[in-house]
Amino acid sequence: QVQLVESGGGSVQAGGSLQLSCTTSGLSTGYYMGWFRQAPGKEREGVAGIDSSGTITYGAFVKGRFTFSKDNAKNTLYLQMNSLKPEDTAMYYCAADPGNYRFWVGRSMYWGQGTQVTVSS
């Protein structure tokens, strides 16, 4: 059984930082994994993803503020978010799919339950 469990969300003021974690279990090797977010009334958008070779891709809006990493020994993904803005307020989801295309169009096979990030001005 595949499980993706996010943690680390919370409320911060603009300019602050948060680190999200996603612990995975039950996934075989080769999955494309990463983070999505969805703000109220908006479509989901890809934040960052990593392929099986370790290549990381970021969504265009990230612009150096977020850092994505993966600890293979702990089966955990991390998203370090700095210089947070109110527009970063969203539910952040961990996702995994056998292919990167399905991941980036928001149709990953597996999703976590999400962790809320709220940034106040």
Side-chain angles (χ1 to χ4, degrees):
Q1 181 181 0
V2 174
Q3 285 190 316
L4 308 175
V5 181
E6 303 97 334
S7 61
S11 297
V12 296
Q13 291 190 327
S17 299
L18 282 173
Q19 185 183 61
L20 307 184
S21 300
C22 171
T23 301
T24 71
S25 60
L27 284 172
S28 58
T29 57
Y31 274 76
Y32 196 94
M33 295 184 282
W35 294 93
F36 255 77
R37 71 182 188 180
Q38 186 166 23
K42 295 187 178 180
E43 294 187 357
R44 282 184 291 192
E45 61 179 343
V47 179
I50 187 169
D51 65 16
S52 57
S53 70
T55 300
I56 295 172
T57 300
Y58 291 97
F61 68 90
V62 171
K63 297 181 179 178
R65 297 186 298 122
F66 298 173
T67 302
F68 177 41
S69 59
K70 181 172 179 272
D71 186 329
N72 290 322
K74 296 182 178 180
N75 291 323
T76 301
L77 312 178
Y78 301 97
L79 185 68
Q80 176 66 41
M81 304 187 294
N82 299 325
S83 302
L84 284 163
K85 305 175 182 180
E87 51 264 44
D88 294 317
T89 295
M91 187 71 81
Y92 284 71
Y93 297 92
C94 184
D97 194 86
N100 61 345
Y101 175 76
R102 284 175 52 90
F103 176 88
W104 284 105
V105 296
R107 295 180 181 176
S108 290
M109 184 177 295
Y110 301 109
W111 294 84
Q113 83 287 352
T115 186
Q116 178 68 38
V117 171
T118 303
V119 185
S120 58
S121 58

